[in-house]
Amino acid sequence: MDLLLRDVRPMGAAPADILIRGGRIAEIGPGLDAPGVTVEEGAGAIAVPGLVEAHTHLDKTVMGMGWYENAVGTALRDMIDNERAARHRLGLDPHRQSMRHALALIGAGTTHIRSHVDIDTDHCLAMLRGVLATREALAGQVEIEIVAFPQSGLMIRPGTLELLDVALSEGADLVGGLDPCGIDRDPKGHLDAIFALADRHGKGIDIHLHEPGELGAFSVELMLERIRALDMKGKVAISHAFCLGMPDWPRAGALIAALAEQDVAILTTGAPSREVPQVTRIQAAGLRMGAGCDGVRDTWNPWNRPDMLDRARIVALRNNLRADADLERVLALCSTGGAAVMGRADHRLAPGCPADLTLLTGSTLAEAVAEAAPRPLTIKAGRVTARHGLALTEAP
Amino acid sequence: MDLLLRDVRPMGAAPADILIRGGRIAEIGPGLDAPGVTVEEGAGAIAVPGLVEAHTHLDKTVMGMGWYENAVGTALRDMIDNERAARHRLGLDPHRQSMRHALALIGAGTTHIRSHVDIDTDHCLAMLRGVLATREALAGQVEIEIVAFPQSGLMIRPGTLELLDVALSEGADLVGGLDPCGIDRDPKGHLDAIFALADRHGKGIDIHLHEPGELGAFSVELMLERIRALDMKGKVAISHAFCLGMPDWPRAGALIAALAEQDVAILTTGAPSREVPQVTRIQAAGLRMGAGCDGVRDTWNPWNRPDMLDRARIVALRNNLRADADLERVLALCSTGGAAVMGRADHRLAPGCPADLTLLTGSTLAEAVAEAAPRPLTIKAGRVTARHGLALTEAP
């Protein structure tokens, strides 16, 4: 795709034009000319690399299905079981729902999504197939990476491991996992299983780890042992990783250093009610780190929105980030940071890089992040995918 | 003011009309008729008591003054000193700025505001006079309670106490205070001074207490001693009260019980980066509790917005409140809860109560809170003050 994006401020700097050829950035500079190429006027908006939703659940949202009345407690196990039953009762269509969710994200400037997708013995591969159909339908508009996620447990639900195996053959990109101690009650069994599966398929791992303090630290240690044994450096991510926010500063620091040595990535939602890995600390240790909104308007939580600038605010509030430089840092977390976790090291505004970008409104980068106004324009590989906060493809 | 508000759902219940006479609710029921009385159509919206912003700083916002670039650290002392200097540099007009802030709150459905106003030896009473002018300009549209607040310290800045004294004579409603240990470095001196001042003027106290853990607990104990000695039961509020969220559950519980005995109110912002008093725990102990957005777009923080439904979300996220019943609880915190702290026990939708209410959009109360759509209508004492999220009075 060829496109001339005129009068934008790359990363808030001086006005320039961005010339896109074949879906990649060809040139950035003032007064570019490209006869015959379609022109988009940026009107002085700030251009940044596309936002990256690096931890969500496209198969869970009830957006557009009326208000879901939540009467379940906040124990993880209760919310898991409630959801599995609710999906049947509500008649949740995973393709339609993931389309709605993904298109809302595109509208909000997103060019890359990593989504966990539930695999369990009740719903088997139905969620995966729905999200795979969405990935195909939105090809060229957003990149969707799929994690085959044993949300209901692995060792405690025989048959799940075999389903994960099929899921990876059918198109899932990564192996998921979940609280090896807290939910699956068998940390050795759980981790041996998912690491062996990832190793056999030659795929990476992204594990949900809600376990706090020493329990989570123990699970992290078990993961590190397997990463070293299987030579999986750079192929594993830990989502949430609440234990890395534990008050025992040196203990958390030693874990973070060990994770850095194995290039393990961290994904955060900035959960305000939990201890969380501190953004500045994780970044200073050299780990790749991204962020995500988690599930949006689902049976778990009514508060999350499909917007990475909204998430930037929550992560910043949780991490007490207030200064302009910190707002830029948290914006980077929500774009280049998540992209690095997804293996896109070239997610930036520079010649040769993919033309994946979004425009923001504000006099400075920091103001644009704080205001979080609807994104004027989103571009994926040179193609305009959204205007004024709305995806051009209509949601079902 | 007389008004017939037609077709609303009080607290999300069945549609009804609300007849207002002389600024108070006269009758609530279906199919009311009142010849000659102005009619407003509610179009099925949910009616709730007006939102109450119970902890903010109307004298601090830079709204409408261009982006404020924040380069200061997050140490309390640094942010205090930075602000005092920035006010001069920016030429912050406290009347104009507090008008902008208060009108934004009115637009978002607010009928009552408790604002701390800085009193210091640099700016003397300038901030107070600005906010007093705003209170007068907006009389009949919003009730503004003013706390004379020694933001820069009391014992460490001689002359401040005398200014507080004058502030109370000039119209401030309550005596403020601030971290007797952490900022003022003299807990006995600080608390003796503000309690004596409050006692002499026959006014209440609302003290900022950011001190965590045992330090904050010590300050709370000193406050309780003075409340008992001066018989100030029911006249004191603690804002933030982070120490009540300390991990030592029984220790915090004993403090909370002692506060309940003296009817001390708690005001929270749900600060995501701090330990906070848990809403369910404080309410279960029988304490009056309200919430506030704190300063909005000021030299402290770019994230806060002048909207109590936005604050309901932050408080809920921090407190892990997700179920529908909890969303209703957090809405109540942001209306009747704050009103109770401000001494308005009759802030509810019932005949005889002041006609202070706002309409919300949603099929249920919980959905309305989660969606936080612009408020269709705000009414103060029977007078329409805002439509579609915008105050009818134009901001300067």
Side-chain angles (χ1 to χ4, degrees), chain A residues 269-284:
Chain A
T269 63
S273 63
R274 302 298 300 262
E275 281 161 1
V276 294
Q278 291 99 330
V279 173
T280 49
R281 190 178 198 194
I282 298 293
Q283 290 179 336

Side-chain angles (χ1 to χ4, degrees), chain A residues 17-88:
Chain A
D17 302 336
I18 299 180
L19 178 62
I20 297 165
R21 292 218 184 259
R24 287 185 176 266
I25 296 172
E27 204 178 341
I28 302 179
L32 298 186
D33 197 26
V37 171
T38 307
V39 173
E40 283 285 341
E41 293 296 341
I46 294 174
V48 298
L51 300 177
V52 177
E53 163 53 281
H55 182 101
T56 189
H57 298 264
L58 290 178
D59 59 323
K60 290 183 186 296
T61 189
V62 297
M63 283 168 71
M65 293 174 64
W67 178 248
Y68 170 78
E69 193 184 324
N70 186 340
V72 81
T74 53
L76 199 50
R77 187 74 253 173
D78 292 343
M79 293 195 285
I80 290 170
D81 294 339
N82 174 62
E83 176 179 55
R84 222 174 38 253
R87 274 196 169 115
H88 289 301

Side-chain angles (χ1 to χ4, degrees), chain A residues 241-280:
Chain A
F242 294 146
C243 62
L244 300 181
M246 70 166 87
D248 185 340
W249 190 263
R251 170 78 164 122
L255 281 175
I256 292 167
L259 291 168
E261 213 166 83
Q262 294 302 320
D263 190 15
V264 175
I266 302 297
L267 294 165
T268 190
T269 63
S273 63
R274 302 298 300 262
E275 281 161 1
V276 294
Q278 291 99 330
V279 173
T280 49

Side-chain angles (χ1 to χ4, degrees), chain A residues 203-275:
Chain A
K203 305 214 166 175
I205 289 176
D206 186 340
I207 184 168
H208 277 66
L209 192 64
H210 308 92
E211 295 164 3
E214 284 300 334
L215 188 63
F218 170 59
S219 289
V220 167
E221 288 169 348
L222 294 185
M223 292 174 66
L224 282 165
E225 290 165 12
R226 285 156 182 78
I227 293 169
R228 292 188 200 105
L230 294 171
D231 202 11
M232 285 185 66
K233 181 172 174 172
K235 298 190 71 176
V236 175
I238 307 180
S239 284
H240 300 306
F242 294 146
C243 62
L244 300 181
M246 70 166 87
D248 185 340
W249 190 263
R251 170 78 164 122
L255 281 175
I256 292 167
L259 291 168
E261 213 166 83
Q262 294 302 320
D263 190 15
V264 175
I266 302 297
L267 294 165
T268 190
T269 63
S273 63
R274 302 298 300 262
E275 281 161 1

